[in-house]
Amino acid sequence: MATTGSNLRTRMSEEDNKLMCDIALKYFKERKVEISNAIKALYPFLETLRDRDLITDEMYKASKKSYKNPLTIPKVVYGVLDNMEEKHHLPLLEILFSKVIMKNYPDLNGICEGFRHEILKKMVCQASVGDESAENRNTQLRIEQGTGGKSYPSLSWLFPDQSNYTESMNLRRSSTSENKTGKRGFMDLGNKSALPNPKKRRRARQQPGVSVNFRAEILPVTCGEMRGLLIKRKLERGATRKCIRTEDGNWLTPREFELRGGYEKASNWKTSLTCGGKTLKRLMELGLLRPPPITREIQNKEKKSDKCKICQDEGKLFCCENCQSFFHGDCHLPPVNTKRNGWNCTFCTTEDSSQSLEHYRESEVLVKQMDPGRKLKCEFLLLKVYHHLESNIFPNIPHGNYVTKASQYLGKLRKLDIIKKKLIKENYCKVKDFKEAMDKFFQDPRCEKLHLNQEEFVKNFKEVFAIQETN
C-alpha cells in the first residue's frame, strides 16, 4: 500500500491525470506560436532537447543550419515544436517549464501560468457536468493503494508544490458537490440577480463551493458583507490602486474594501478578501493571481484629489512642470525616472519638438531606424491610445452587462501592454515595426465595437512624424 510520502502520481486519480494530459496537449497545440516567440535564442533550448534524446542529432544540426539571424529563431523553434507535437509533447513541456529553461526564457513564465489556469478551469468545468462513476472511484482507490491499470505521465511542472495540486482538486470536488446539490456553476457577474441574498453574504465567505473562472480579467471578491469586482490589471500595478468596483459603482483599494467589510483591525487584506471560497493570498500562492508590487507611498492629504492623466487613479504621482498633469511612473511612457527633477511629460515634449518645417513621405518614415527621437514619438502615440481607453471609455462603461464589456476593454489593454513592453525594451528596430503592431491591434473586428478608431491613430501618426504625401 502507498505510504504518506507517495509521490503525486500515486495519489492522483487516473481520470484526473489523463484529463490533465489531454488538456495540456490541446493547449500546447494552440500556443505553439506563442511558445516559439518566447524562445529568444536557440541555446540552451535545442541542446537540452538533444541531450534528453527528444530530438535526433540530425534534427539538431538541421535546426542550427536553418538559423540565419535572430529573426528566424521563432520559425526554427516552431518547426521543432511541430515535429514533437504528438509523440513527445509531455516531456517537451516538462523541459520548457523547468526552472533552468524558464530562467533563460522569462516569457515562458506567463505561458506556464496560462497552462495552469487553463487546466484548472477545464478540470472544474469537467467536474461540474456530472458525478464520478463507481468505476472511476474504484480506479482511484486502486491507484491510491499502489495498484491498478495503465498510468499516465505526471505533470510535475504544473504543480511543483503538491499542496497546490491538493487545492486544485478541492476546487474540482467542490464544483462536483455543487452539481449534486443543484447550486449555480459559473456566476453571471453582470447580473445582480445572480448574487446571493444580502442576508447570506457573511456566510458565503465560508463556502468554498462557488465556481469561478480564475483566468478571467475580473474576479468576484467578498469581504464580510461587501461584494465587488476585482480588476486584475489594476491590482497588478499596486495595492494602492482603486482596483475593486463595488455594487454601487464606487472604486476602492483592497484596504478600503476590507474596511468597508468590517475588518478594521485586520492586518492583511490578502487574507480578508476571498474569491470562490479562497483567500486572495491563497490564489496568489497557487499562481492564479499575480501579487501586486511592494510600494511605499508617502501619504499626502493635500494631493489626495490628484489623479493620473492616463488611468484616472490616485497613488504616487509625478507632476509635469509644463502642463501640470499627473502620471503614475509606470503609466507614463517612458517610465518616469524618480530621481529626475524638472520633469516634462511625453505629451509636452513631443508637441514642442514636432513643429518641423521639413516633411516626409510615409514610406520614408517607415524604413527609418528607431532612434531615441522616433521612439519618443511612438511612445506619444501609444500614450494617446491608452489615454482614450483608460480615461474616456473604461470609466464610463454602463452597469448593464458590465463584466462582459469591461473584460473586452481589458483584453485590448493587455494587448497594448505587450506593445508597450516591446517598445520599452527596444524590440522594434524600425518605425514600421511599431506601426505594423498598432495596425494589427486596430484591425481586430472588436475595436469598432469598442469605439477604438484607427483613423484617429493614423492622423496622429502623420502629424507627429511630419508626413505629407505629394502627388
Side-chain angles (χ1 to χ4, degrees):
M1 183 175 291
T3 64
T4 306
S6 298
N7 63 23
L8 181 60
R9 185 186 304 174
T10 61
R11 297 209 311 270
M12 183 187 299
S13 81
E14 183 179 12
E15 178 197 17
D16 288 339
N17 207 358
K18 181 180 183 300
L19 178 59
M20 285 197 288
C21 291
D22 291 343
I23 297 170
L25 173 58
K26 183 177 184 298
Y27 198 72
F28 170 69
K29 290 180 177 180
E30 295 172 353
R31 293 294 183 273
K32 281 189 295 183
V33 171
E34 190 176 344
I35 293 172
S36 302
N37 287 327
I39 306 293
K40 305 298 184 185
L42 294 181
Y43 179 85
F45 173 66
L46 282 182
E47 284 70 16
T48 305
L49 295 181
R50 182 190 60 179
D51 294 346
R52 302 281 183 89
D53 292 327
L54 292 181
I55 61 173
T56 62
D57 285 336
E58 289 75 14
M59 181 182 291
Y60 172 78
K61 292 176 182 177
S63 299
K64 295 285 283 188
K65 188 176 181 180
S66 61
Y67 167 76
K68 297 178 181 178
N69 59 65
L71 295 177
T72 64
I73 289 178
K75 281 189 175 182
V76 174
V77 174
Y78 186 90
V80 173
L81 299 180
D82 198 47
N83 186 272
M84 301 177 66
E85 182 176 296
E86 293 298 336
K87 291 185 179 180
H88 301 295
H89 73 279
L90 291 175
L92 172 62
L93 292 176
E94 187 89 23
I95 290 173
L96 278 173
F97 300 137
S98 64
K99 289 183 179 179
V100 173
I101 293 297
M102 288 204 291
K103 184 178 179 180
N104 281 276
Y105 309 110
D107 288 350
L108 286 174
N109 286 279
I111 298 173
C112 181
E113 184 180 328
F115 268 84
R116 184 178 293 115
H117 288 176
E118 186 71 14
I119 289 174
L120 284 173
K121 181 180 73 173
K122 293 289 178 62
M123 293 287 284
V124 173
C125 288
Q126 183 76 9
S128 65
V129 300
D131 302 334
E132 266 190 325
S133 66
E135 181 181 351
N136 287 338
R137 287 195 294 271
N138 291 335
T139 301
Q140 181 170 352
L141 179 61
R142 289 197 301 272
I143 293 174
E144 288 174 349
Q145 294 173 342
T147 63
K150 178 182 176 182
S151 62
Y152 294 84
S154 173
L155 307 185
S156 58
W157 53 268
L158 185 62
F159 298 108
D161 179 359
Q162 291 190 15
S163 64
N164 290 357
Y165 169 75
T166 304
E167 288 289 339
S168 68
M169 291 301 101
N170 285 341
L171 286 173
R172 176 166 159 79
R173 282 192 289 270
S174 67
S175 178
T176 305
S177 73
E178 276 181 20
N179 195 58
K180 291 178 181 178
T181 56
K183 293 182 181 178
R184 291 184 62 87
F186 285 84
M187 296 175 64
D188 180 5
L189 300 174
N191 185 353
K192 275 191 173 182
S193 63
L195 300 175
N197 188 309
K199 294 180 180 179
K200 297 181 180 179
R201 284 177 187 161
R202 186 173 293 276
R203 198 191 311 170
R205 185 178 184 274
Q206 305 299 328
Q207 296 176 350
V210 179
S211 296
V212 175
N213 178 8
F214 293 111
R215 290 197 66 194
E217 287 288 348
I218 302 175
L219 297 179
V221 291
T222 61
C223 183
E225 295 188 1
M226 285 294 293
R227 297 184 67 83
L229 298 171
L230 172 67
I231 310 299
K232 281 185 178 180
R233 186 175 176 274
K234 283 181 173 287
L235 178 64
E236 290 166 10
R237 294 183 166 193
T240 57
R241 303 286 181 95
K242 293 184 180 294
C243 55
I244 301 176
R245 187 180 189 271
T246 60
E247 292 176 305
D248 56 8
N250 290 321
W251 289 89
L252 304 174
T253 66
R255 176 55 181 163
E256 290 170 344
F257 190 77
E258 183 181 45
L259 292 173
R260 294 277 190 94
Y263 287 75
E264 295 87 354
K265 297 182 180 180
S267 59
N268 188 352
W269 55 266
K270 296 177 186 177
T271 57
S272 301
L273 276 62
T274 62
C275 172
K278 301 293 178 186
T279 65
L280 297 193
K281 180 181 179 181
R282 189 59 188 144
L283 294 183
M284 291 175 188
E285 292 171 348
L286 290 170
L288 300 172
L289 183 65
R290 292 182 187 174
I294 299 174
T295 57
R296 294 180 181 179
E297 298 187 2
I298 301 173
Q299 296 295 326
N300 189 335
K301 294 182 179 179
E302 294 180 0
K303 296 289 183 181
K304 194 66 177 177
S305 60
D306 296 329
K307 293 184 178 181
C308 173
K309 180 173 181 176
I310 302 300
C311 72
Q312 295 300 301
D313 206 350
E314 300 168 359
K316 185 176 182 179
L317 302 171
F318 298 90
C319 181
C320 172
E321 277 198 346
N322 187 45
C323 67
Q324 298 299 302
S325 296
F326 291 89
F327 299 85
H328 288 115
D330 56 353
C331 283
H332 188 267
L333 272 172
V336 182
N337 185 341
T338 56
K339 296 180 181 179
R340 287 174 55 185
N341 293 320
W343 174 76
N344 286 340
C345 72
T346 295
F347 288 107
C348 294
T349 306
T350 305
E351 287 172 356
D352 290 343
S353 62
S354 62
Q355 307 300 321
S356 174
L357 296 176
E358 189 174 1
H359 291 84
Y360 307 90
R361 292 182 178 180
E362 183 171 349
S363 57
E364 295 174 327
V365 171
L366 292 177
V367 297
K368 290 183 180 294
Q369 295 293 320
M370 187 71 81
D371 64 12
R374 298 183 189 106
K375 181 170 177 280
L376 181 66
K377 292 177 180 180
C378 291
E379 289 169 337
F380 167 80
L381 293 167
L382 194 54
L383 279 178
K384 295 276 282 186
V385 181
Y386 268 115
H387 179 259
H388 178 62
L389 258 175
E390 296 201 67
S391 298
N392 300 333
I393 298 180
F394 192 78
N396 299 313
I397 298 173
H399 180 75
N401 205 23
Y402 177 84
V403 171
T404 301
K405 281 289 184 184
S407 296
Q408 291 173 347
Y409 283 117
L410 289 167
K412 296 304 292 181
L413 283 169
R414 290 287 191 188
K415 291 186 177 180
L416 272 187
D417 291 341
I418 294 173
I419 297 174
K420 175 181 176 180
K421 183 178 179 181
K422 289 184 176 180
L423 189 59
I424 292 173
K425 289 186 173 183
E426 300 182 352
N427 289 348
Y428 297 122
C429 299
K430 296 183 178 181
V431 175
K432 72 172 183 178
D433 298 330
F434 170 76
K435 178 68 162 48
E436 287 173 357
M438 292 303 296
D439 287 343
K440 185 177 179 181
F441 171 83
F442 281 109
Q443 285 164 7
D444 187 332
R446 290 172 293 183
C447 280
E448 187 174 345
K449 296 180 180 179
L450 298 179
H451 309 289
L452 291 172
N453 192 342
Q454 186 176 11
E455 292 180 3
E456 185 68 21
F457 173 79
V458 172
K459 176 185 174 183
N460 292 331
F461 180 83
K462 289 183 177 180
E463 286 181 358
V464 77
F465 278 101
I467 293 174
Q468 183 175 344
E469 298 296 346
T470 57
N471 295 328

